[in-house]
Amino acid sequence: MEAARGVVLGFDVGRYSHHMTAIDARTGEVVASRGVEQTEPDIREAIEPYALGDAAVVVDQPGDLSSLLLAVARDMGLGVGFITPRAMAKGIELYGGELKSDAHDSFVIADLAARIPSLVRPVPERRADVEELASLMSYDRELTDDVRRAASRIHELPLATCPALGAVYAGQRVKQRLPLAMLARFGGAGGLSAAGRGEVEGWARGQPRCGARGLAFVGSALDAVGSQGVATTSSPFYDELLRIEAASLRSALDAREAVGARVDELLGRIPDAQVLLSMPGVGRVTAATFVSEVPDVGAFASAAKLAAYAGLAPRVRQSGRSLNSVTRPRAGNRRLKRALVLSAARSVDFCEESRAYYDRKRSEGRCHYSAVVALARRRINVMYAMLRDGKRYESRLG
């Protein structure tokens, strides 16, 4: 963000209300400090006195919590920006780390933005479809965590009653439709034993797309329950917990499927996404994450700038004539970096160019992760050129 010349409005954003501190960038004087409700009328009332001057709104969370605030600020002609969590944490420590309040945090945001404008990152105004894509990917990440937690609990609960049944549900099988439906219907070992083999198998035959493989799984689960004659607990609540967790996992998986379908629909409308999807190793998640985190690749002067933003540019530590180290950076956009690194790791399996580069880095003595990160850094050069020129991926081999 350009050097502040007027008033900086620092907002510590919250779910239902914000706190605003206004600082005159020329004098450093605090000209206002007040709470602001998460409603358009109250936001407009708070910003109105500064709308005619050279003012800027700066937040600490440029996400859903601040979407209304930033939209109103743009509508009133104010500049908008945000301070990264890392810079914010350093600022809070510098200004007195033991003091924690909304008013103090908003003051830190405003004062940092006024004194060191280079810390403020612009909040790009994205197209409606890209904005929706970003929101969907945020929701998908939450659903992914929900799936992981529910699956983990389902793996753990049978250990208290029938470990053999837990082994049948090991790995990804717990996410399959029939095994999950059986848990939701009968619970664990207690529920399966009470129902009996005939009832469970009859239920399974009535399930959609239950073939020989599904019946074989049901038989394995019943055999596992029957192999244990000693009851480890008399509480029937473990079966109820399994039913609850199975329903929760099924709901999260269905929601992810619906979100994925909408993401695919949006990606089909975005030219940059179609260009990225032509590259080996780039799938729905990578393309959607890239487009939502980098809505305009033209904002970066070079591929090196984009790599630095993604956290893929190596950090050099040097003093005088000695080079102390070259290490991985800790800054950068972590969501984008993770997507690009996972994409690079996948590309090694079916892209000859990626495999050749990865093998070369391994032959130089690098570990697997270091070689994959180096490959991700190389691939971002290709992505940048593809998006800049609007051209799909073309292999240089054969």
Side-chain angles (χ1 to χ4, degrees):
M1 193 174 86
E2 296 180 359
R5 297 183 296 274
V7 177
V8 176
L9 310 177
F11 278 82
D12 179 55
V13 301
R15 186 178 297 273
Y16 305 113
S17 64
H18 315 309
H19 194 97
M20 181 195 80
T21 297
I23 292 181
D24 189 321
R26 291 159 295 196
T27 65
E29 177 187 1
V30 176
V31 296
S33 180
R34 53 162 291 184
V36 181
E37 294 298 315
Q38 178 75 295
T39 63
E40 183 177 346
D42 207 38
I43 292 173
R44 286 188 179 277
E45 180 185 340
I47 295 177
E48 186 66 37
Y50 316 101
L52 297 179
D54 183 13
V57 169
V58 182
V59 299
D60 60 337
Q61 298 182 48
D64 293 340
L65 293 180
S66 59
S67 59
L68 176 61
L69 168 63
L70 297 179
V72 172
R74 285 194 179 105
D75 185 64
M76 298 178 69
L78 278 71
V80 296
F82 74 99
I83 292 181
T84 63
R86 187 177 180 86
M88 187 63 190
K90 292 287 187 182
I92 290 176
E93 182 180 352
L94 179 65
Y95 284 79
E98 296 182 359
L99 180 58
K100 180 71 177 79
S101 69
D102 294 344
H104 176 68
D105 288 352
S106 67
F107 168 77
V108 171
I109 295 169
D111 203 45
L112 282 175
R115 293 176 183 272
I116 317 176
S118 60
L119 292 178
V120 182
R121 304 279 182 86
V123 181
E125 192 168 5
R126 298 183 285 203
R127 291 166 34 187
D129 51 3
V130 175
E131 191 70 42
E132 181 182 355
L133 188 63
S135 297
L136 287 174
M137 292 309 297
S138 176
Y139 184 46
D140 184 71
R141 286 190 291 271
E142 294 179 7
L143 289 173
T144 301
D145 291 338
D146 291 342
V147 167
R148 186 182 299 112
R149 285 190 291 265
S152 178
R153 287 191 289 265
I154 291 175
H155 284 142
E156 292 175 1
L157 283 169
L159 297 178
T161 56
C162 182
L165 179 62
V168 173
Y169 273 90
Q172 297 298 311
R173 187 167 290 172
V174 70
K175 299 178 184 178
Q176 297 173 0
R177 190 166 293 275
L178 179 65
L180 199 53
M182 190 168 73
L183 282 181
R185 173 67 176 81
F186 299 102
L192 291 170
S193 296
R197 182 177 291 270
E199 180 180 343
V200 175
E201 290 182 343
W203 168 87
R205 290 190 184 94
Q207 297 301 301
R209 298 190 298 275
C210 177
R213 183 177 298 180
L215 290 175
F217 170 81
V218 172
S220 299
L222 292 171
D223 291 342
V225 172
S227 68
Q228 181 174 311
V230 177
T232 59
T233 176
S234 59
S235 173
F237 195 62
Y238 282 94
D239 291 310
E240 183 62 26
L241 287 176
L242 277 169
R243 292 188 185 96
I244 293 172
E245 292 298 341
S248 175
L249 179 54
R250 183 72 268 161
S251 176
L253 289 171
D254 288 344
R256 282 204 73 198
E257 185 176 343
V259 168
R262 178 57 178 167
V263 168
D264 286 339
E265 183 181 345
L266 290 172
L267 291 177
R269 303 177 186 174
I270 302 173
D272 282 357
Q274 294 303 303
V275 170
L276 289 171
L277 287 168
S278 68
M279 188 175 189
V282 176
R284 172 204 294 165
V285 173
T286 304
T289 301
F290 193 106
V291 171
S292 58
E293 299 297 334
V294 188
D296 180 17
V297 75
F300 298 90
S302 65
K305 295 288 186 181
L306 178 58
Y309 170 74
L312 291 173
R315 180 176 60 178
V316 178
R317 292 180 177 272
Q318 186 176 11
S319 178
R321 296 182 177 179
S322 62
L323 179 65
N324 297 323
S325 65
V326 179
T327 59
R328 294 195 302 268
R330 295 184 180 180
N333 188 314
R334 294 185 179 182
R335 287 191 293 269
L336 181 58
K337 179 180 179 180
R338 184 174 188 275
L340 293 174
V341 169
L342 290 177
S343 172
R346 285 194 300 269
S347 72
V348 171
D349 295 331
F350 50 84
C351 177
E352 294 182 23
E353 291 171 303
S354 294
R355 167 57 69 177
Y357 186 83
Y358 170 83
D359 289 341
R360 186 162 80 249
K361 291 301 174 183
R362 291 285 280 163
S363 68
E364 294 172 0
R366 296 201 184 193
C367 67
H368 167 73
Y369 182 75
S370 178
V372 169
V373 170
L375 175 60
R377 172 63 183 87
R378 182 181 179 86
R379 282 163 59 86
I380 208 170
N381 290 342
V382 180
M383 292 179 182
Y384 181 85
M386 289 165 55
L387 293 172
R388 180 195 60 202
D389 302 335
K391 295 183 178 179
R392 292 174 175 261
Y393 179 82
E394 295 179 2
S395 175
R396 295 183 178 179
L397 298 179

